[in-house]
Amino acid sequence: MKSGILVVNKPKGISSAGVVNRLKRLLKVKKIGHTGTLDPFATGVLPIAVGKATRISKYFLKGVKGYYAQVTLGIETDTCDCTGRVTHTASSAPLAALDSDHIKDVVAGFWGPQEQIPPAYSALKHKGQPLYKLARQGQIIEKPPRPIEIMSIAMENYRMDTNGHPIFDMSVLCSGGTYIRSLAHDIGVALGCGAHLSALQRTRSGQFKIEHALDLDCFEKMSPSDIDARFICMSRCLDFLPAIVANSETAGKVKHGQPLFVTEFPMPDTLLIAGDKNDAKNSMLDIRVLDSDDNLLAIVTPDKYGKTYKYCCVFNA
């Protein structure tokens, strides 16, 4: 079985870990994991790292994310989404005063850099315990606000749901670490009527988009060779990192972890420009080392003196 990334279109009603477990049984592999959790009620892009690719998962966690969300107005829950316990229901007056143009303006006002308080029901940890586990035990831990950025946001399709509650759809492009549940809650507060996230599809995770994703049950019906064809190789997954191509002598040094000197192995002219593909600011100097067949041999970074390379990962040892 190959190493690389499989892009799954996660179905509703299963956890991200559940998707990993099903693929682990299907592929019969030991090393496998997702590159960013989606809640069980959510659907959409879930990149799965298989084999050696589990070692590059960190490069995708902070990538730009895209979502298509549904927000229900007038109802707040303790989880800020449709899975939680209702904590507040608005009276008819503030709901009757809602106007779609005003909602559009309020939603658009969340564009740009800002700070966001993570929800109490999240996978963030406090003293080693996930916040959602503590919350279920009655311990509500409020984490300090964290910097996020909304690159684009738009409201559309304002309507009433089958229960007569006002709802709208919302497209969002944002930095990694943004909670759309918290965003929906904050929009409800800004509107004065409360709100919660009632549906969510992730349309993008880093450079992986919904058009690249395949339904989980489709993977389970495919032959091993067809699954192999769906793998995105590690080199292509990391094409937002600059690359240098090693000759056979340098490839041998990499394989044995021997020192690499900048003088004999010049740095690329252009280092990481994450931009639209991935916001991996912690990897500004990371460089792919490729062989002549575009196989990923290693990831290296220059030392602080710019004389030698330090190994981050070696993949062919």
Side-chain angles (χ1 to χ4, degrees):
M1 185 61 66
K2 291 183 177 180
S3 292
I5 300 290
L6 292 173
V7 187
V8 177
N9 183 12
K10 190 188 88 67
K12 185 177 180 179
I14 182 174
S15 67
S16 298
V19 172
V20 169
N21 289 335
R22 282 171 60 172
L23 286 175
K24 185 175 185 178
R25 290 193 296 269
L26 175 67
L27 303 176
K28 297 180 174 61
V29 293
K30 292 182 179 179
K31 294 183 178 180
I32 184 171
H34 60 74
T35 64
T37 303
L38 267 181
D39 289 327
F41 77 91
T43 66
V45 176
L46 184 67
I48 303 294
V50 180
K52 294 178 182 178
T54 55
R55 300 175 65 192
I56 63 174
S57 294
K58 67 177 183 178
Y59 291 97
F60 310 114
L61 294 175
K62 294 185 178 181
V64 171
K65 303 295 192 296
Y67 296 96
Y68 197 71
Q70 178 181 282
V71 178
T72 297
L73 299 173
I75 300 175
E76 293 182 334
T77 72
D78 56 0
T79 60
C80 302
D81 62 37
C82 56
T83 68
R85 176 179 57 86
V86 174
T87 57
H88 172 75
T89 301
S91 61
S92 58
L95 295 180
L98 291 173
D99 172 80
S100 62
D101 290 334
H102 176 58
I103 296 171
K104 279 186 179 181
D105 290 340
V106 169
V107 170
F110 282 83
W111 175 86
Q114 58 200 271
E115 290 195 329
Q116 183 185 68
I117 298 175
Y121 286 83
S122 72
L124 293 177
K125 291 187 177 181
H126 176 75
K127 296 182 179 179
Q129 288 292 315
L131 294 187
Y132 68 85
K133 287 189 177 181
L134 295 173
R136 288 170 182 168
Q137 298 167 9
Q139 301 180 54
I140 303 300
I141 306 296
E142 185 172 297
K143 288 285 189 179
R146 305 193 307 174
I148 64 164
E149 183 174 359
I150 306 295
M151 291 83 165
S152 67
I153 185 169
M155 183 276 274
E156 58 187 66
N157 198 21
Y158 179 66
R159 62 202 185 276
M160 296 292 172
D161 67 12
T162 55
N163 296 315
H165 296 294
I167 62 175
F168 63 85
D169 299 324
M170 179 173 69
S171 59
V172 181
L173 188 68
C174 58
S175 59
T178 301
Y179 285 91
I180 307 302
R181 288 181 285 147
S182 293
L183 180 60
H185 171 82
D186 293 344
I187 288 171
V189 171
L191 288 169
C193 62
H196 71 276
L197 182 67
S198 45
L200 183 67
Q201 179 192 45
R202 185 155 68 191
T203 57
R204 172 180 174 181
S205 180
Q207 70 269 46
F208 307 113
K209 299 181 180 180
I210 192 68
E211 55 263 35
H212 304 142
L214 189 68
D215 291 348
L216 178 59
D217 59 357
C218 289
F219 278 107
E220 294 175 327
K221 296 174 183 176
M222 294 169 68
S223 67
S225 61
D226 287 339
I227 294 175
D228 279 354
R230 296 292 306 190
F231 273 93
I232 303 174
C233 70
M234 292 192 290
S235 175
R236 189 151 64 89
C237 289
L238 296 173
D239 65 2
F240 51 84
L241 294 177
I244 41 184
V245 179
N247 57 28
S248 57
E249 180 182 355
T250 305
K253 287 185 176 182
V254 172
K255 182 175 181 179
H256 296 97
Q258 295 175 354
L260 296 178
F261 296 95
V262 173
T263 53
E264 63 181 0
F265 203 33
M267 283 187 282
D269 292 335
T270 304
L271 291 178
L272 173 62
I273 302 176
D276 182 59
K277 285 192 174 181
N278 211 23
D279 185 17
K281 294 179 181 177
N282 63 326
S283 309
M284 287 296 289
L285 298 177
D286 286 3
I287 300 168
R288 292 175 293 152
V289 181
L290 310 175
D291 66 14
S292 57
D293 294 322
D294 202 39
N295 295 309
L296 183 64
L297 303 180
I299 298 174
V300 298
T301 190
D303 68 13
K304 62 181 179 180
Y305 304 108
K307 294 183 177 181
T308 62
Y309 294 102
K310 296 186 296 182
Y311 288 100
C312 301
C313 298
V314 178
F315 300 101
N316 67 333

